[in-house]
Amino acid sequence: MGAELSRATHVARGLISAALVGVLGVSAATSSSVATTRRVLPAGHFTVSSFNVLGASHTPPGGRRASGAIRIGYASRLLTRHHVDVVGFQELQASQLTRFLALTAGTWAVYPGLHGARKVDSENSVGWRTGTFDLVSATTVNIPYFDGHPRAMPVVLLREKSSGMLAYFANFHNPGDTSRYRHQARWRLAATEVEIALQRRLAATGIPRIMTGDMNDRAAYFCRVTAGAPLKAARPTSVRKNGVCSAGRPRAVDWILGSHRVTFGGYVEDRSALVARTTDHPVIVSDVTVDPARFPNAWAATPSVPAGLGG
């Protein structure tokens, strides 16, 4: 196990270097991009979700759940029910994404969606309502997925149309233990190291950050990631205070986390009948408020975007 953990750490360091060094190198100009004129800025308000939609390949004909194409219609209804503005999708396979885009008829945009380097890249995408947000820039970072094989995960910088606020959104799906892939804990740990490194680098921009994902871990993930990066959970009973982690016995492996200075509210883990027809995960939802006094860089007219995040 020692050798395996050493190898996992080596892979993680390589992925961190490839994904972040030079790719997400924060410009020193970021902190100087804040407007010097005094003006009243509206707070940013939006609703975010982490949503594992259950890939179409998991519900072949004859099963107890409907096909992926039908279930993605249910997923769209759930996004509307919860007034979601930005969603981190996991297991959004290409056939489901194609159907989702057809159903929503231009009211949603998705990255990387169908434009990733590989077809499987659609499975982990960030989606946003086009009437609420504009895309400023986007990229992907690699994490070690099953058995350590790299898998691209999205990072997008969006601007809220109503307030002008900028925010980063990153979405992840860490490898779980399955009947086919066993003993994946070392790769989850290595993936977490990449996620921590990303959040630490993005924090230097002074722009609010939201991270969603199916982390395939509960308390251990929360405690590890909040110890390593400036993050807190939307889930109100999972807290870190004075260096002490109190995860609060989370039921779900799905998480919404964000910058310390954002305000979370209205947290929901939806396990309704419609959710059960749609997926084998709860739908995680939270409202988010961003105070311009706490994030002045989020209202920069021309943000200094880290190298490699240009769209």
Side-chain angles (χ1 to χ4, degrees), residues 38 61 113 125 141 186 196 211 255-256 259 291 298:
R38 300 181 68 180
S125 288
V141 297
R186 61 191 183 277
I196 288 170
M211 185 166 71
W255 290 93
I256 297 172
S259 303
D291 183 346

Side-chain angles (χ1 to χ4, degrees), residues 50-296:
S50 185
F51 197 161
N52 185 320
V53 299
L54 186 61
S57 62
H58 295 298
T59 55
R64 68 184 183 89
R65 282 193 178 92
S67 69
I70 292 175
R71 290 185 295 101
I72 205 64
Y74 304 157
S76 179
R77 287 168 55 186
L78 286 162
L79 294 175
T80 299
R81 172 185 290 182
H82 290 291
H83 309 287
V84 173
D85 299 301
V86 183
V87 56
F89 285 119
Q90 305 92 41
E91 296 192 27
L92 182 65
Q93 294 181 356
S95 61
Q96 293 164 291
L97 175 54
T98 299
R99 180 61 178 158
F100 176 74
L101 294 174
L103 286 171
T104 56
T107 60
W108 281 86
V110 177
Y111 178 85
L114 300 174
H115 303 290
R118 299 182 298 171
K119 185 177 181 181
V120 295
D121 288 348
S122 74
E123 295 181 6
N124 302 290
S125 288
V126 174
W128 60 93
R129 291 190 184 275
T130 55
T132 306
F133 281 95
D134 287 322
L135 177 65
V136 177
S137 60
T139 191
T140 59
V141 297
N142 286 337
I143 65 165
Y145 204 47
F146 288 111
D147 290 342
H149 297 293
R151 179 65 70 89
M153 303 286 161
V155 183
V156 301
L157 178 62
L158 302 179
R159 188 186 292 277
E160 189 181 38
K161 291 183 175 182
S162 61
S163 68
M165 175 210 67
L166 293 162
Y168 278 108
F169 297 87
N171 179 59
F172 295 93
H173 190 183
N174 292 347
D177 296 330
T178 69
S179 58
R180 179 179 177 186
Y181 297 100
R182 301 179 183 275
H183 310 300
Q184 299 298 304
R186 61 191 183 277
W187 302 117
R188 285 195 296 277
L189 177 59
T192 303
E193 291 183 13
V194 175
E195 292 148 18
I196 288 170
L198 171 69
Q199 290 299 319
R200 289 170 66 93
R201 295 294 294 273
L202 290 180
T205 66
I207 294 172
R209 296 160 288 110
I210 300 294
M211 185 166 71
T212 56
D214 172 1
M215 306 310 186
N216 270 306
D217 209 347
R218 296 176 175 84
Y221 180 83
F222 169 74
C223 290
R224 183 175 294 117
V225 78
T226 56
L231 289 167
K232 67 178 182 180
R235 185 176 188 269
T237 53
S238 294
V239 296
R240 174 177 289 278
K241 186 175 182 180
N242 298 325
V244 178
C245 181
S246 300
R249 297 183 179 181
R251 292 175 60 193
V253 297
D254 312 271
W255 290 93
I256 297 172
L257 301 114
S259 303
H260 286 155
R261 291 173 293 164
V262 302
T263 300
F264 288 118
Y267 179 79
V268 173
E269 295 180 4
D270 187 351
R271 294 179 171 85
S272 64
L274 181 57
V275 171
R277 292 169 63 192
T278 305
T279 180
D280 57 351
H281 285 249
V283 178
I284 309 299
V285 181
S286 182
D287 298 325
V288 184
T289 300
V290 179
D291 183 346
R294 294 183 171 189
F295 291 95

Side-chain angles (χ1 to χ4, degrees), residues 38-56:
R38 300 181 68 180
R39 58 194 178 100
V40 177
L41 296 170
H45 298 282
F46 57 92
T47 300
V48 65
S49 174
S50 185
F51 197 161
N52 185 320
V53 299
L54 186 61

